Amino acid sequence: MSIAVDTFFLNPDAPGTLQAQVQQMIAEGILSGRFHTGEKLPSSRRLAAHLGVSRITVTLAYTELVANDYLSAQGRSGYYVSENAPVPPTYSPRPRAADTVDWTRAIAQRFTGGDTPRKPGDWRDFRYPFIYGQADPTLFDHANWRQCALRALGQKDFASLTDDYYDRDDPLLVEYIARHTLPRRGISARPEEILITLGAQNALWIAARVLLNRRRRAVIEDPCYHAQRDLLTHAGCRLTPVRVDADGLPPDAIPPGTDVIFTTPSHQCPTTATMPLHRRHALLERARELDALVVEDDYEFEMAFLAAPSPALKSLDEDGRVIYVGSFSKSLFPGLRLGYMVGSEPFIREARALRATMLRHPPGHMQRTAAYFLSLGHYDSQIRRMGAALHDRRRAAEAAIAEHGLTIAGRGVYGGSSLWMQAPEGTDSAELATRLQADGVFIEPGAPFFAGPERPARFYRLGYSSIPTSRIGEGIARIAAALRDAPGATDRPAPQAMQHS
Amino acid sequence: MSIAVDTFFLNPDAPGTLQAQVQQMIAEGILSGRFHTGEKLPSSRRLAAHLGVSRITVTLAYTELVANDYLSAQGRSGYYVSENAPVPPTYSPRPRAADTVDWTRAIAQRFTGGDTPRKPGDWRDFRYPFIYGQADPTLFDHANWRQCALRALGQKDFASLTDDYYDRDDPLLVEYIARHTLPRRGISARPEEILITLGAQNALWIAARVLLNRRRRAVIEDPCYHAQRDLLTHAGCRLTPVRVDADGLPPDAIPPGTDVIFTTPSHQCPTTATMPLHRRHALLERARELDALVVEDDYEFEMAFLAAPSPALKSLDEDGRVIYVGSFSKSLFPGLRLGYMVGSEPFIREARALRATMLRHPPGHMQRTAAYFLSLGHYDSQIRRMGAALHDRRRAAEAAIAEHGLTIAGRGVYGGSSLWMQAPEGTDSAELATRLQADGVFIEPGAPFFAGPERPARFYRLGYSSIPTSRIGEGIARIAAALRDAPGATDRPAPQAMQHS
């Protein structure tokens, strides 16, 4: 029996080469049980004509499928589904009945209902994407990343690709971070004091679990990164949000009884405030008084194109009470899911045991590729290129903001990749964001960053890491136009930049 | 000023091409502050002669460093450290003082001290590695994995590589699992009922957190996968180990008040027992009586080379009370860190929210590469090749075991990649394993799989997924010889294979 050529269709939107698509189509037909052992495939000439592809494409796909034992070639007579082809399942899935489980009772701990807004997956379709924290294809050194990945896929690195590391990490990556990355933040650490994590968020999560329980109290900044608040809510500790000012977290406002302080001194998230040196010392002094630990989220220090970043809080720490969290999400790309934490050995030992139990280790291949990209110097080159581009974008944004009379509530003195904006009194920035979407503009409403029931609604964040310089002016013009049409907004811009009320 | 050629050394053990090593050496010199802006590098001829490499190697490295702005080329006069080269940190890390933090007090939750044994990182140096769960370079289709990874590194897949997916997964991978993998286990699931995890262990961890708390009771198999016991200990629930028999977990022994049952019906871990169909029905019936949920760890169903695997427990589940966990660690490689869980939508929704908070998502690149490898048919080809090789190894192991009079306590009826062995009464298999290490043989002692203070010491596991067939006979001969010399062992082999006492 022959398989009719009409059963083959190419999906014009499918990814991959034509050869891969043909190969995949046939493999799927066999695996799903549509094509059976011994059945003859259309000749390469017929299938090529039917699909409108070249004959060599079909021939190469057939050859590959023969090598994989899906097809067998029988001399001049053609290609057949092989006797050794994978057998589709003999039992068909039974139709699902309605659950009898009462999930309201069965779920012991709820994790939904957090404040983290769901960002759109289709942000690339926005013409003016003021989105924060995604990679820009024009700034990322894709070619060299690919080279490093290829090298990490080589025979020499077979073990680092495939091995179960248990609780260990790639020693090359750890060494690079210890010798080159941390010294730039004024931090000296031995490998036993470093743990690689699935991004900075995973590091913050692990720190919360090791350092907190129901009886302990954590201080977070208000406003702060929403996922930070969610993960502490899940940890079930007592939680005190402390309002930040133009210099970041005020140490005096940290209440007695605090056990752990979560802070973003270099670029406060989301206001971008930079904590001055005297306040850093005061914060450490306050932590010492309370015998509290400090978790420092230094998520964006590489984006310092205006001035050299000040040394990390951790570099001033003489007690071992600061746990430092770094990330490659902003400087490389967030889909990498690589970050790291630095702390005293007794802490890292517990963090490592927790990580091993919950997920073992970040994939070896991602760690090794990053280690190569860093150690070959591509990383530093990219940071400089990104810094130059972000500087341009920042200038364009500031010029347009001035031109249209909008108000900046916070801008990192070292650089960064976003501005914290303040709309006129009475503006609901969530409503503003919705209206702007129809106009091709993506902005992030500010309310989800704030704690408590009375959230200031008029702030919003403008990320400039994924929008071309040439579109920034028009994007901001559209925001200004939308603000003029905003229901309930007054015309008077708010006077005080850092006062959140 | 010129940089002396003598300051350059190649490390003969360094990974990567010579060109990459030269490039890395120079980049590191600049980043660490040893080489300064404006300093002249040795001529390519001199450096090549000094290092004993070809001149073109050095020239290519220099050219690449010029492209990255580390060096500048000044006509015929040579190469200089560029003015735009990255600047080393201006402050040096301060020497670390002793911690004043009292870590005994500061750590709120401990995660160390679990039962999971630390496996050796150098297992490849053993001549007879009866290790379980690592990839074998002779069985893994490295070439096609590399091809798929390359494709996933292409321009078309830039978003899947770099994007922050938030709580989402790669739709290609989810679709493949839903349409091709799960039907082979008799399971029908929609994408909303599937979550990709950082390996099966991460799935078990997530299930434990969503379904358990301090008041709820979990049943685990005894013996069981040690990390499974560790993660439930961390979850802080009440925990009841139930001794397995030759058919796996006995439903009658599950006590009243049980909320969640963790089980490995297809290949009990570590005894390899397969639960017969009538017991699967009885287990589901018992779960229904108790209104308990069942977490099914189907970690090795692909390794069924002796007979088709029986349908998953989940395929018999009419209530929605089974949560199914699958893994690519055994069939691809553990360093991939990809697994998946299938359950009713209300459960997966909570699991997804927890995963998003703790780590966001498994790296997009790993998901996309696996999706290609699966959908192009390489995965099924590899499973068949692995099955044939494991079958050979299993035959070799069984023949040698019979020849030397050793006792198999459990062997999976469908296949698998390990045998559960029973040494004579009085043997301490941990002591045996230590003695065998000196003889180049790696075996896994069985005691850590058991719960409680009275752990049977005479069992051990022989994995055959990473040892060549040709070495199995000699490896087992050495185990037999070591057993003959064992202190305290009787000569009589134990009579009952599955009785753990």
Side-chain angles (χ1 to χ4, degrees):
Chain A
M1 195 191 135
S2 292
I3 300 167
V5 76
D6 318 86
T7 62
F8 295 92
F9 295 95
L10 282 181
N11 174 355
D13 300 326
T17 63
L18 286 170
Q19 183 200 325
Q21 288 180 52
V22 172
Q23 192 178 330
Q24 193 162 338
M25 185 168 63
I26 296 168
E28 287 188 0
I30 294 171
L31 292 172
S32 67
R34 288 193 295 123
F35 307 158
H36 303 281
T37 295
E39 287 182 344
K40 188 176 184 207
L41 274 94
S43 72
S44 56
R45 186 189 302 272
R46 276 203 73 196
L47 185 55
H50 170 71
L51 298 173
V53 304
S54 82
R55 191 173 165 193
I56 186 73
T57 300
V58 175
T59 306
L60 287 171
Y62 279 5
T63 308
E64 183 73 17
L65 287 161
V66 169
N68 279 343
D69 247 8
Y70 278 69
L71 301 183
S72 59
Q74 294 181 13
R76 299 187 63 84
S77 85
Y79 291 90
Y80 295 81
V81 177
S82 161
E83 298 222 346
N84 301 317
V87 182
T90 48
Y91 38 85
S92 51
R94 56 171 70 214
R96 295 168 350 97
D99 282 7
T100 63
V101 170
D102 173 5
W103 286 105
T104 314
R105 198 205 74 83
I107 287 166
Q109 297 184 57
R110 295 206 169 267
F111 300 94
T112 52
D115 288 328
T116 303
R118 204 182 148 94
K119 292 196 194 176
D122 62 351
W123 64 269
R124 285 169 205 278
D125 298 338
F126 283 82
R127 189 161 171 84
Y128 308 98
F130 290 103
I131 196 165
Y132 179 81
Q134 294 280 15
D136 184 333
T138 66
L139 298 182
F140 176 58
D141 183 357
H142 196 185
N144 275 318
W145 182 265
R146 207 174 140 104
Q147 282 304 317
C148 292
L150 252 176
R151 182 173 161 192
L153 285 162
Q155 284 298 344
K156 273 194 177 178
D157 283 327
F158 186 80
S160 87
L161 171 69
T162 64
D163 267 13
D164 189 340
Y165 284 4
Y166 310 110
D167 63 352
R168 291 181 289 261
D169 282 314
D170 185 353
L172 285 194
L173 181 58
V174 172
E175 192 196 340
Y176 191 90
I177 291 170
R179 287 184 49 196
H180 298 283
T181 309
L182 295 174
R184 297 180 162 231
R185 307 302 290 125
I187 300 169
S188 154
R190 290 170 288 119
E192 312 84 80
E193 297 171 316
I194 300 172
L195 183 72
I196 309 293
T197 59
L198 259 282
Q201 186 167 325
N202 185 231
L204 297 170
W205 195 96
I206 290 173
R209 294 288 159 157
V210 172
L211 300 176
L212 291 165
N213 57 29
R214 301 204 163 267
R215 293 174 303 283
R216 300 204 177 183
R217 179 177 303 280
V219 153
I220 50 170
E221 297 172 342
D222 183 31
C224 79
Y225 175 43
H226 16 66
Q228 168 78 75
R229 197 169 50 240
D230 280 356
L231 70 90
L232 288 173
T233 306
H234 294 171
C237 62
R238 295 183 293 158
L239 193 57
T240 307
V242 169
R243 196 50 70 94
V244 300
D245 62 24
D247 288 340
L249 182 68
D252 299 344
I254 298 171
T258 297
D259 297 290
V260 186
I261 301 158
F262 288 84
T263 182
T264 50
S266 295
H267 286 278
Q268 204 278 331
C269 174
T271 69
T272 78
T274 302
M275 189 181 288
L277 190 61
H278 63 87
R279 184 175 277 193
R280 292 180 188 228
H281 284 293
L283 178 60
L284 287 176
E285 189 47 46
R286 179 71 181 141
R288 196 174 294 123
E289 275 168 30
L290 298 168
D291 197 16
L293 298 175
V294 181
V295 179
E296 175 184 25
D297 182 2
D298 198 31
Y299 63 102
E300 211 181 39
F301 78 84
E302 297 93 342
M303 305 297 112
F305 47 82
L306 295 174
S310 45
L313 196 63
K314 175 71 180 162
S315 74
L316 308 173
D317 170 31
E318 293 181 352
D319 302 348
R321 69 178 69 251
V322 177
I323 288 150
Y324 175 89
V325 173
S327 169
F328 294 113
S329 292
K330 307 293 178 285
S331 51
L332 288 169
F333 51 89
L336 178 62
R337 308 308 312 132
L338 281 182
Y340 49 96
M341 62 203 303
V342 181
S344 292
E345 208 175 330
F347 168 79
I348 291 292
R349 202 180 302 128
E350 297 300 325
R352 184 181 299 282
L354 169 55
R355 193 202 67 183
T357 306
M358 68 193 251
L359 59 81
R360 299 246 172 126
H361 57 85
H365 176 65
M366 304 311 286
Q367 295 196 47
R368 182 55 56 98
T369 303
Y372 285 151
F373 194 83
L374 289 159
S375 65
L376 285 170
H378 302 311
Y379 183 75
D380 292 86
S381 302
Q382 170 165 315
I383 297 294
R384 276 172 296 140
R385 273 197 305 276
M386 279 175 82
L390 291 177
H391 200 168
D392 276 354
R393 293 177 188 182
R394 164 95 156 218
R395 273 191 292 253
E398 288 180 331
I401 285 166
E403 182 189 337
H404 295 284
L406 303 186
T407 307
I408 296 176
R411 58 183 120 197
V413 297
Y414 297 112
S417 60
S418 64
L419 294 166
W420 181 238
M421 303 293 295
Q422 180 175 284
E425 186 85 57
T427 308
D428 176 356
S429 64
E431 183 274 333
L432 176 70
T434 306
R435 276 192 296 129
L436 279 165
Q437 281 197 20
D439 211 16
V441 183
F442 178 87
I443 65 166
E444 278 183 77
F449 294 98
F450 288 92
E454 299 281 315
R455 303 177 173 209
R458 62 168 159 160
F459 294 92
Y460 58 102
R461 182 160 72 171
L462 287 187
Y464 49 85
S465 53
S466 293
I467 181 169
T469 310
S470 60
R471 292 195 188 154
I472 287 176
E474 175 60 22
I476 285 171
R478 290 181 186 215
I479 296 171
L483 276 171
R484 281 192 297 276
D485 303 338
T490 65
D491 286 319
R492 181 181 51 83
Q496 278 171 285
M498 292 303 305
Q499 191 176 309
H500 311 297
S501 60
Chain B
M1 193 193 138
S2 292
I3 301 167
V5 77
D6 320 85
T7 61
F8 294 92
F9 295 96
L10 282 181
N11 174 355
D13 299 327
T17 63
L18 286 170
Q19 183 200 323
Q21 288 180 52
V22 172
Q23 193 177 329
Q24 191 162 336
M25 185 167 63
I26 296 168
E28 286 187 0
I30 295 170
L31 291 173
S32 68
R34 287 192 298 123
F35 308 157
H36 302 280
T37 295
E39 286 182 345
K40 187 174 186 212
L41 275 93
S43 73
S44 56
R45 186 189 302 272
R46 276 202 73 196
L47 185 56
H50 170 72
L51 297 174
V53 303
S54 82
R55 192 174 166 195
I56 184 74
T57 299
V58 175
T59 306
L60 287 171
Y62 279 5
T63 308
E64 183 74 16
L65 286 160
V66 170
N68 279 344
D69 247 6
Y70 278 69
L71 301 183
S72 60
Q74 293 181 14
R76 299 187 62 86
S77 86
Y79 291 90
Y80 295 81
V81 177
S82 161
E83 299 223 344
N84 301 317
V87 183
T90 49
Y91 37 85
S92 52
R94 57 170 70 214
R96 293 166 353 95
D99 281 7
T100 61
V101 170
D102 173 5
W103 286 104
T104 313
R105 199 206 73 84
I107 287 167
Q109 298 184 55
R110 295 206 168 265
F111 300 95
T112 51
D115 288 328
T116 303
R118 206 181 145 95
K119 291 195 196 180
D122 62 350
W123 65 269
R124 285 169 205 279
D125 298 339
F126 284 82
R127 188 161 172 81
Y128 308 99
F130 289 104
I131 196 166
Y132 179 82
Q134 294 280 18
D136 184 333
T138 66
L139 299 182
F140 177 57
D141 184 358
H142 197 185
N144 275 317
W145 182 265
R146 206 174 142 104
Q147 282 304 316
C148 291
L150 254 176
R151 184 173 159 192
L153 285 161
Q155 285 299 343
K156 274 194 176 178
D157 284 325
F158 187 79
S160 88
L161 171 70
T162 63
D163 267 12
D164 190 340
Y165 284 5
Y166 310 110
D167 64 352
R168 291 181 290 261
D169 283 313
D170 185 352
L172 285 193
L173 181 59
V174 172
E175 191 195 341
Y176 192 90
I177 290 171
R179 286 184 49 196
H180 297 283
T181 309
L182 294 174
R184 299 182 160 228
R185 308 300 291 127
I187 299 168
S188 156
R190 290 170 289 119
E192 312 85 80
E193 297 171 319
I194 300 172
L195 183 73
I196 308 294
T197 59
L198 259 282
Q201 186 168 324
N202 184 232
L204 296 170
W205 195 96
I206 290 172
R209 294 288 158 156
V210 172
L211 300 176
L212 291 164
N213 57 29
R214 300 203 164 268
R215 293 173 304 284
R216 299 205 177 183
R217 179 176 301 280
V219 154
I220 50 168
E221 297 171 342
D222 182 31
C224 79
Y225 175 44
H226 17 66
Q228 168 77 74
R229 199 172 45 242
D230 280 356
L231 71 89
L232 288 173
T233 305
H234 294 171
C237 62
R238 295 183 293 159
L239 193 56
T240 307
V242 169
R243 195 49 71 92
V244 301
D245 61 25
D247 288 340
L249 183 67
D252 299 345
I254 297 170
T258 298
D259 297 290
V260 186
I261 301 158
F262 288 84
T263 183
T264 51
S266 296
H267 287 277
Q268 204 278 330
C269 174
T271 69
T272 79
T274 303
M275 189 181 288
L277 190 61
H278 63 86
R279 184 174 279 192
R280 294 180 187 227
H281 283 295
L283 177 60
L284 287 177
E285 189 47 45
R286 181 68 181 144
R288 197 174 293 121
E289 275 168 29
L290 299 167
D291 197 14
L293 298 176
V294 181
V295 179
E296 174 184 25
D297 181 2
D298 198 30
Y299 63 101
E300 209 181 40
F301 78 83
E302 297 93 342
M303 304 298 112
F305 47 83
L306 296 173
S310 44
L313 196 63
K314 176 70 180 162
S315 75
L316 308 172
D317 169 31
E318 293 180 352
D319 302 348
R321 71 177 68 252
V322 177
I323 287 150
Y324 176 89
V325 172
S327 168
F328 294 113
S329 293
K330 307 294 179 285
S331 50
L332 288 169
F333 51 89
L336 178 63
R337 307 310 311 136
L338 281 183
Y340 48 96
M341 61 202 304
V342 180
S344 293
E345 210 176 328
F347 167 79
I348 291 294
R349 202 181 300 129
E350 297 301 325
R352 184 181 300 284
L354 169 55
R355 193 201 67 183
T357 306
M358 67 193 247
L359 59 82
R360 297 246 174 125
H361 57 83
H365 176 66
M366 303 310 286
Q367 295 196 47
R368 183 53 59 97
T369 303
Y372 284 152
F373 195 81
L374 290 158
S375 64
L376 286 169
H378 302 311
Y379 183 74
D380 292 86
S381 301
Q382 171 167 314
I383 297 294
R384 277 173 296 140
R385 273 196 306 274
M386 281 176 82
L390 291 178
H391 199 167
D392 277 355
R393 293 178 187 180
R394 163 93 158 222
R395 272 189 294 252
E398 288 180 331
I401 286 166
E403 184 190 336
H404 294 285
L406 304 187
T407 305
I408 296 177
R411 58 184 120 197
V413 298
Y414 297 111
S417 61
S418 64
L419 294 166
W420 181 240
M421 303 293 295
Q422 179 176 285
E425 186 86 55
T427 308
D428 176 355
S429 63
E431 181 276 331
L432 176 70
T434 306
R435 275 193 296 129
L436 279 166
Q437 281 196 20
D439 211 16
V441 183
F442 178 86
I443 66 167
E444 278 182 77
F449 293 98
F450 288 92
E454 297 282 313
R455 305 180 171 206
R458 62 166 159 160
F459 293 93
Y460 59 102
R461 182 160 72 170
L462 287 188
Y464 49 85
S465 53
S466 293
I467 181 168
T469 310
S470 60
R471 293 196 188 152
I472 288 177
E474 176 60 22
I476 285 172
R478 290 180 185 215
I479 297 171
L483 276 171
R484 280 192 298 274
D485 304 338
T490 66
D491 288 317
R492 184 179 51 84
Q496 277 169 288
M498 293 303 304
Q499 191 177 311
H500 311 298
S501 58

